[in-house]
Amino acid sequence: MPTQQQPLFGLEDIQLVRHPENVRDLTIQQRFEAFHALNPWVLRELTGMTADCAQKGFSRIGIGMLFELLRYRYGAATRGDEFALNNDYRSRYVRLLLAEHPEWTPLFEVRALRAD
């Protein structure tokens, strides 16, 4: 269970990850949308980390770095609970970040999607 008394590394919004059911026959996009609907805090945390990097003057940010940092912080905040964040969702989260903050476009490399 996440610790609520003291936010760890500025992650005030961290919650237990919820996973959608019956996603086997769904496309990656549909699975992502179901996951995101259950876990909107993930985008808020990625947004906060990206804003922090941008403010600190990073010229490039990798979504992989942000995913791994979020996995680490989640594990530390929940005292070791596994944070199952599907790498298939990386490109989808970048697109959400850029839709909300187009000024961050130069920070991320975005490639064409290979799968739906």
Side-chain angles (χ1 to χ4, degrees), residues 11 13-18 35-47 70 74 78 83 93:
L11 292 177
D13 194 29
I14 200 163
Q15 301 172 23
L16 291 178
V17 173
R18 297 170 51 204
F35 178 86
H36 176 58
L38 292 173
N39 301 284
W41 67 271
V42 172
L43 179 61
R44 288 192 297 268
E45 295 304 330
L46 292 171
T47 299
L70 187 54
Y74 182 86
T78 60
F83 180 47
Y93 273 115

Side-chain angles (χ1 to χ4, degrees), residues 34-105:
F35 178 86
H36 176 58
L38 292 173
N39 301 284
W41 67 271
V42 172
L43 179 61
R44 288 192 297 268
E45 295 304 330
L46 292 171
T47 299
M49 288 189 289
T50 302
D52 185 55
C53 289
Q55 189 238 350
K56 287 184 167 83
F58 283 45
S59 59
R60 299 292 285 180
I61 301 171
I63 192 65
M65 174 192 73
L66 297 178
F67 262 42
E68 295 307 322
L69 183 56
L70 187 54
R71 285 180 174 124
Y72 167 78
R73 290 176 173 182
Y74 182 86
T78 60
R79 302 188 185 241
D81 287 355
E82 183 178 343
F83 180 47
L85 182 57
N86 190 328
N87 284 337
D88 290 344
Y89 302 159
R90 289 179 178 196
S91 62
R92 273 59 180 186
Y93 273 115
V94 168
R95 284 167 172 77
L96 286 181
L97 287 167
L98 297 181
E100 291 183 2
H101 298 276
E103 69 275 15
W104 292 342
T105 300

